[in-house]
């Protein structure tokens, strides 16, 4: 049956929001098509006039309303069209407003800029100076300080020109006191500004900035006031600490990618110093003995030190990565942990040739491995919170990390009774020991060391064996046939679980030009699996959001396709920077009608897989996510084991057995009779 002639479908699209398809009855709604937009325009006009009122009370009420209304993109567009941003910046520059008036002015400004309609490059130096002055004052209203820090962070991140202006107006020393308070939001915004300045500073200035941060004792202040404070660390703070950790370790990239120059005497002197500390020898003068004798002595010692090239060890450091960083680590170990260094070198030089653990080669490969584990040189990911408290406990945390790991490597080498042919096997075990120890996020380097003590080679073998048994795949033909028969049942079970999760729904963050924002929307599938209900939320919900509070609907029958990653409309304009990689991996879109779409960025990889699986299941397509494969393996193996136990006629009880009662006394006596 053809649709009524009076009904038309209209696609409505505006910057920064999800496109919508609306059905309009031309008869009943002839005068109301533009009502929503017209109403917003009127409100914008009224607020524009009210915030210029001479009455302070009226002005304050208007600014409160403006801060609230600015979250709505239609209103924001209308208010910006009235040159509203300029009006707000002029109010800030004039400096006549303070307290709540200033707080609501800055809140409205942040909300309006959050929509990405206006470029950050348009602001005057007077405005920047004013915002910076609020951050530099020792006593400032918390809300004003928070908004000011947020504005500075956005300016630095969004414009190289503004970065330079902000960097001239504010120093690290002026930011540090904000970390010493108890307000975690202020601390988070402060670290965010420091990270933004660090990230945008030219490469040649980063070492200089790191030196200033060290002078101001940023690390120990963060350790005392944030990491070891009584308050739990929220996700946003964890992200900022992770970013700072990444940017700090990225300072090592220059040394990691610098080859040693075998002709550079200063660099060669470091190798002489390693030899001197290990064997307690003074560097011989040119006149002591023949050249041949000295060369022979050097070659012997360099062999004991475990270099690959015994004649000219400098050649070992021409491989990048790890380049000169490996030599820096070796020298630090030799100077700051001298006894351990000498013990390792002498212990190995007294072993048989094939059983010695080569200190030089091991140090070079270990440094390279640690750089891979810590992703040295990669930009921070957008949604990662993976910071390690122990790296904030020492000014030279990477070098100390190396010193612990090189001693672990020597210990594991002995436990494995390794020979030179086993070098790569030992490195694989050591990598596993380190990554397993890091997963518990040790609070200190000593705690990390203790964790490694419990992860001996024997323990690693046990863990591997246990994991293999849990994942074991029976290869006999009858078992494989049974697996094949059971597989469709398991797949149906997974499909039902995915659809049930879609019915519960998920809260998604709104896509914004700024990384940190508090705008959300919710999407859930109707219980009959026919309709997707979605709508905006003021804040992140506690529990499920009911269908009737979600104003928008999309019939499943109208969905044409589900696309992911770079194929998503909202990802096509994203740059190829590494920091966008994680967002790209969480992006998916639902396409409907001809060119309409709903754009999603999942909160994490698990939700991404649940939604892409569930939507594909709704469309009758295959579920291909890694979580489906993992769930399939787990459930199949469990079902197989249960069925095999059943074949052995082992009764599996419906309920777990009762816990034995505690004995009335502990006077156990063995009766010899």
């Amino acid at each position: 049956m053809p649709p009524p002639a009076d009904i038309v479908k209209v696609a409505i699209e505006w910057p920064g929001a999800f496109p919508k398809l609306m059905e309009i009855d031309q008869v009943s709604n002839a005068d109301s098509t533009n009502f929503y937009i017209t109403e917003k325009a009127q409100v914008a006009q009224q607020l524009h006039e009210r915030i210029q009122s001479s009455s302070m009370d009226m002005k304050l009420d208007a600014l409160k309303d403006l801060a609230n209304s600015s979250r709505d993109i239609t209103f924001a567009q209308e208010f910006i069209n009235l040159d509203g941003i300029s009006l707000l910046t002029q109010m800030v520059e004039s400096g006549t407003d303070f307290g709540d008036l200033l707080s609501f002015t800055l809140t409205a400004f942040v909300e309006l800029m959050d929509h990405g309609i206006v470029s950050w490059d348009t602001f005057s130096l007077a405005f920047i100076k004013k915002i910076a002055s609020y951050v530099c004052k020792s006593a400032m209203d918390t809300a004003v300080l928070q908004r000011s820090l947020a504005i500075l962070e956005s300016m630095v991140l969004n414009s190289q020109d503004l970065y330079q202006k902000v960097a001239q107006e504010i120093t690290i020393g002026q930011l540090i006191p904000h970390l010493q308070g108890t307000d975690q939001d202020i601390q988070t915004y402060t670290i965010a500004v420091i990270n933004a300045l660090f990230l945008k500073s030219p490469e040649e200035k980063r070492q200089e900035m790191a030196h200033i941060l060290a002078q101001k004792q940023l690390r120990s202040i963060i350790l005392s006031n944030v990491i070891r404070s009584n308050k739990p660390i929220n996700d946003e703070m964890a992200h900022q600490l992770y970013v700072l950790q990444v940017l700090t370790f990225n300072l090592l990239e220059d040394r990691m990618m610098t080859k040693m120059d075998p002709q550079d005497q200063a660099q060669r002197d470091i190798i002489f110093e390693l030899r001197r500390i290990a064997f307690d020898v003074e560097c011989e003068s040119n006149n002591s003995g023949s050249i041949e004798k000295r060369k022979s002595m050097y070659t012997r010692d360099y062999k004991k030190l475990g270099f690959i090239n015994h004649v000219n060890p400098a050649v070992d450091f021409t491989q990048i990565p790890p380049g000169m960083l490996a030599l820096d680590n070796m020298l630090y170990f030799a100077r700051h942990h001298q006894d351990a260094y000498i013990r390792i070198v002498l212990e190995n030089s007294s072993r048989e040739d094939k059983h010695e653990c080569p200190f030089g080669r091991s140090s070079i490969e270990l440094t390279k491995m640690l750089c891979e584990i810590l992703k040295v040189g990669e930009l921070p990911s957008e949604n990662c919170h993976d910071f390690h408290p122990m790296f904030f406990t020492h000014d030279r945390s990477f070098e100390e990390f190396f010193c612990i790991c090189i001693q672990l490597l020597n210990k594991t080498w002995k436990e494995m009774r390794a020979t030179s042919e086993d070098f790569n096997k030992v490195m694989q075990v050591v990598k596993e020991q380190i990554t397993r120890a890091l997963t518990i996020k040790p609070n200190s380097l000593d705690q990390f060391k203790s964790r490694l003590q419990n992860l001996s080679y024997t323990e690693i073998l046990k863990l591997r064996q246990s994991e293999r048994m849990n994942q074991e795949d029976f290869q006999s033909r009858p078992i494989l046939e049974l697996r094949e028969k059971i597989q469709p049942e398991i797949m149906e079970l997974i499909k039902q679980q995915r659809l049930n999760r879609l019915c519960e729904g998920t809260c998604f963050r709104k896509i914004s030009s700024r990384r940190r924002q508090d705008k959300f929307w919710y999407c859930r599938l109707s219980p009959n699996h026919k309709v997707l209900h979605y709508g905006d939320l003021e804040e992140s919900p506690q529990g499920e959001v009911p269908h009737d509070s979600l104003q928008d609907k999309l019939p499943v029958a109208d969905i044409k396709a589900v696309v992911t990653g770079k194929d998503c409309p909202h990802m096509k304009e994203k740059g190829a920077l590494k920091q966008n990689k994680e967002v790209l991996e969480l992006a998916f879109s639902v396409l409907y009608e001809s060119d309409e779409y709903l754009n999603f960025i999942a909160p994490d990889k698990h939700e991404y897989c649940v939604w892409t699986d569930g939507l594909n299941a709704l469309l009758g397509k295959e579920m291909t996510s890694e979580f489906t494969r993992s769930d399939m393996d787990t459930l199949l193996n469990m079902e197989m084991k249960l069925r095999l136990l059943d074949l052995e006629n082992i009764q599996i009880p419906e309920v777990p057995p009762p816990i034995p009662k505690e004995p009335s006394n502990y006077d156990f006596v063995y009766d010899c009779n």
Side-chain angles (χ1 to χ4, degrees):
M1 177 178 163
D6 295 322
I7 303 291
V8 292
K9 288 188 177 183
V10 179
I12 297 176
E13 184 175 354
W14 55 88
F18 298 111
K20 294 185 181 179
L21 191 71
M22 299 180 75
E23 286 189 0
I24 297 172
D25 185 334
Q26 295 179 86
V27 176
S28 62
N29 291 308
D31 299 319
S32 61
T33 314
N34 295 318
F35 175 74
Y36 180 73
I37 295 171
T38 308
E39 183 193 31
K40 296 292 177 184
Q42 287 172 350
V43 174
Q45 182 68 51
Q46 289 164 4
L47 281 175
H48 193 272
E49 291 166 9
R50 284 170 58 205
I51 62 174
Q52 298 176 74
S53 168
S54 55
S55 161
M56 285 299 161
D57 288 343
M58 191 178 287
K59 191 172 186 175
L60 181 59
D61 283 344
L63 284 166
K64 279 182 186 174
D65 290 345
L66 178 63
N68 244 345
S69 302
S70 296
R71 295 176 186 171
D72 182 279
I73 188 149
T74 314
F75 169 86
Q77 184 74 67
E78 294 297 333
F79 188 79
I80 288 166
N81 288 345
L82 295 169
D83 219 11
I85 294 276
S86 295
L87 177 59
L88 294 178
T89 54
Q90 284 162 20
M91 288 165 64
V92 172
E93 285 172 33
S94 69
T96 53
D97 293 340
F98 50 88
D100 284 348
L101 281 169
L102 180 57
S103 170
F104 286 116
T105 304
L106 294 179
T107 303
F109 175 83
V110 169
E111 293 290 350
L112 290 166
M113 289 303 295
D114 208 21
H115 296 297
I117 299 166
V118 178
S119 166
W120 282 94
D121 279 309
T122 56
F123 298 107
S124 68
L125 186 59
F127 179 71
I128 296 164
K129 282 177 179 286
K130 205 74 188 173
I131 296 295
S133 73
Y134 300 144
V135 170
C136 298
K137 281 181 186 170
S138 54
M140 179 50 68
D141 177 78
T142 304
V144 171
L145 177 58
Q146 190 188 75
R147 305 298 183 275
S148 300
L149 287 164
I151 291 166
L152 289 181
E153 184 205 4
S154 291
M155 283 179 170
V156 172
L157 289 177
N158 285 289
S159 164
Q160 195 63 31
D161 181 47
L162 286 183
Y163 153 73
Q164 289 165 346
K165 288 175 182 173
V166 171
Q168 286 168 354
E169 293 301 321
I170 197 157
T171 65
I172 298 298
Q174 289 162 329
L175 290 169
I176 294 283
H178 301 314
L179 292 171
Q180 294 169 316
T182 55
D183 188 315
Q184 193 171 113
D185 281 344
I186 296 293
Q187 291 173 325
T188 304
Y189 278 91
T190 303
I191 297 174
V193 173
I194 292 170
N195 284 339
L197 290 167
F198 213 148
L199 191 63
K200 288 293 177 177
S201 61
E203 277 188 41
E204 65 275 9
K205 285 195 173 180
R206 281 184 196 162
Q207 293 289 353
E208 185 187 324
M209 187 171 171
H211 181 63
I212 294 167
L213 294 176
Q215 276 186 326
K216 299 291 179 187
Q217 297 186 310
L218 176 73
R219 178 199 59 75
S220 58
I221 288 167
I222 289 174
L223 183 67
S224 307
N225 296 281
V226 178
I227 297 172
R228 290 185 177 164
S229 77
N230 295 326
K231 293 181 181 175
I233 291 171
N234 60 33
D235 281 354
E236 186 55 43
M237 174 60 90
H239 173 75
Q240 294 302 342
L241 291 173
Y242 152 78
V243 172
L244 182 59
Q245 174 186 294
V246 171
L247 295 176
T248 305
F249 284 141
N250 281 1
L251 294 169
L252 303 168
E253 186 182 14
D254 184 46
R255 293 294 280 174
M256 179 179 86
M257 300 308 287
T258 300
K259 292 182 179 183
M260 186 169 186
D261 177 3
Q263 306 308 314
D264 187 317
Q265 189 57 45
Q267 293 180 358
R268 290 170 62 198
D269 284 346
I270 299 174
I271 296 175
F272 291 147
E273 176 75 350
L274 289 172
R275 175 178 174 262
R276 184 193 66 74
I277 295 170
F279 305 116
D280 195 23
V281 292
E282 293 302 324
C283 289
E284 295 79 3
S285 65
N286 289 335
N287 299 323
S288 60
S290 69
I291 293 173
E292 287 305 316
K293 184 182 175 186
R294 272 188 287 116
K295 274 187 177 176
S296 167
M297 204 156 45
Y298 282 173
T299 301
R300 182 200 66 204
D301 288 349
Y302 291 150
K303 186 173 185 293
K304 287 180 181 178
L305 278 167
F307 290 112
I308 297 170
N309 191 317
H310 307 152
V311 179
N312 185 6
V315 175
D316 287 14
F317 301 97
T318 55
Q319 174 201 348
I320 54 169
M324 288 295 289
L325 186 59
L327 190 57
D328 295 343
N329 280 340
M330 291 165 76
L331 184 63
Y332 181 90
F333 182 49
R335 283 181 172 167
H336 294 84
H337 299 270
Q338 200 165 318
D339 291 347
Y341 166 69
I342 292 169
R343 188 180 69 249
I344 284 177
V345 173
L346 296 185
E347 198 177 83
N348 285 295
S349 61
S350 64
R351 288 184 191 165
E352 295 175 51
D353 273 2
K354 65 174 187 174
H355 280 287
E356 65 185 15
C357 175
F359 173 71
R361 183 186 175 192
S362 298
S363 297
I364 291 164
E365 290 302 320
L366 179 64
T367 301
K368 185 180 175 185
M369 180 203 291
L370 297 183
C371 288
E372 286 169 3
I373 290 171
L374 297 176
K375 298 186 168 81
V376 174
E378 288 191 25
L379 285 169
S381 293
E382 193 79 8
N383 294 318
C384 188
H385 312 110
D386 193 23
F387 88 95
H388 292 276
M390 74 178 195
F391 292 130
F392 288 84
T393 62
H394 202 286
D395 288 329
R396 304 287 294 274
S397 60
F398 183 78
E399 291 90 336
E400 287 292 325
F401 184 44
F402 168 84
C403 294
I404 293 168
C405 295
I406 192 69
Q407 292 176 77
L408 166 76
L409 194 155
N410 190 58
K411 173 174 169 279
T412 302
W413 184 282
K414 287 188 286 187
E415 288 171 353
M416 290 177 71
R417 295 188 176 86
T419 64
S420 49
E421 288 82 21
D422 301 318
F423 186 88
N424 290 334
K425 286 181 189 171
V426 175
M427 293 306 291
Q428 284 170 4
V429 173
V430 169
K431 185 172 185 179
E432 192 172 334
Q433 289 170 312
I434 294 167
T435 50
R436 283 182 186 272
L438 284 175
T439 53
I440 65 159
K441 300 283 177 72
N443 287 320
S444 65
L445 290 159
D446 283 340
Q447 204 177 90
F448 174 66
K449 209 185 296 185
S450 301
R451 176 68 180 138
L452 288 176
Q453 290 295 326
N454 298 326
L455 282 171
S456 64
Y457 175 55
T458 311
E459 185 60 27
I460 291 290
L461 287 180
K462 282 182 189 170
L463 288 166
R464 284 178 174 178
Q465 179 66 20
S466 163
E467 285 163 9
R468 254 200 307 272
M469 284 176 69
N470 288 337
Q471 297 165 4
E472 78 182 354
D473 194 6
F474 308 105
Q475 295 301 318
S476 65
R477 193 174 163 190
I479 298 289
L480 290 174
E481 285 176 3
L482 181 59
R483 279 178 72 90
E484 211 171 302
K485 188 179 175 185
I486 295 171
Q487 199 157 328
E489 297 172 32
I490 302 294
M491 188 56 86
E492 184 59 31
L493 188 66
I494 294 169
K495 176 183 169 182
Q496 289 309 316
Q497 187 274 339
R498 299 294 192 260
L499 293 174
N500 289 341
R501 274 290 295 107
L502 262 60
C503 290
E504 290 171 19
T506 301
C507 176
F508 298 94
R509 279 191 178 275
K510 276 205 155 190
I511 303 151
S512 163
S513 59
R514 283 174 69 244
R515 206 202 75 76
R516 179 171 52 257
Q517 13 79 43
D518 297 303
K519 294 185 170 64
F520 305 93
W521 69 290
Y522 200 88
C523 189
R524 63 180 296 178
L525 180 65
S526 62
N528 63 4
H529 301 173
K530 302 279 187 186
V531 180
L532 283 177
H533 297 263
Y534 62 97
D536 294 348
L537 300 175
E538 285 297 313
E539 56 186 2
S540 183
Q542 302 298 317
E544 288 182 33
V545 176
H547 298 99
D548 51 18
S549 66
L550 300 171
Q551 61 272 34
D552 299 303
K553 295 178 183 179
L554 170 60
V556 171
D558 290 353
I559 297 175
K560 304 296 180 198
V562 176
V563 293
T564 59
K566 286 183 180 174
D567 296 329
C568 296
H570 59 315
M571 289 292 113
K572 284 179 179 169
E573 293 176 7
K574 284 271 182 189
L577 288 172
K578 287 176 188 169
Q579 66 258 46
N580 288 325
K581 185 182 171 192
E582 193 158 329
V583 176
L584 206 62
E585 289 173 352
L586 298 174
F588 61 98
S589 296
V590 172
L591 307 185
Y592 60 98
E593 292 305 319
S594 52
D595 56 353
E596 303 298 322
Y597 41 82
L598 265 183
N599 291 329
F600 299 76
I601 291 181
D604 52 52
K605 196 68 181 170
H606 180 261
E607 286 295 307
Y608 169 84
C609 292
V610 163
W611 274 86
T612 51
D613 279 348
L615 290 167
N616 279 323
L618 278 175
L619 301 179
K621 294 182 180 176
E622 196 179 343
M623 299 185 292
T624 56
S625 80
E626 59 196 70
F627 277 85
T628 292
R629 288 194 294 274
S630 169
D631 287 354
M632 174 62 78
D633 288 343
T634 304
L635 293 169
L636 255 180
N637 286 337
M638 197 182 295
E639 183 65 19
M640 292 295 296
K641 285 173 183 175
L642 287 170
R643 293 202 182 197
L644 289 171
L645 284 171
D646 203 31
L647 284 174
E648 295 291 337
N649 205 22
I650 294 171
Q651 293 298 312
I652 301 165
E654 292 292 325
V655 291
I659 298 168
K661 287 183 180 176
E662 188 179 336
S664 55
N665 68 69
Y666 294 92
D667 300 328
F668 300 116
V669 177
Y670 181 71
D671 187 352
C672 296
N673 298 323

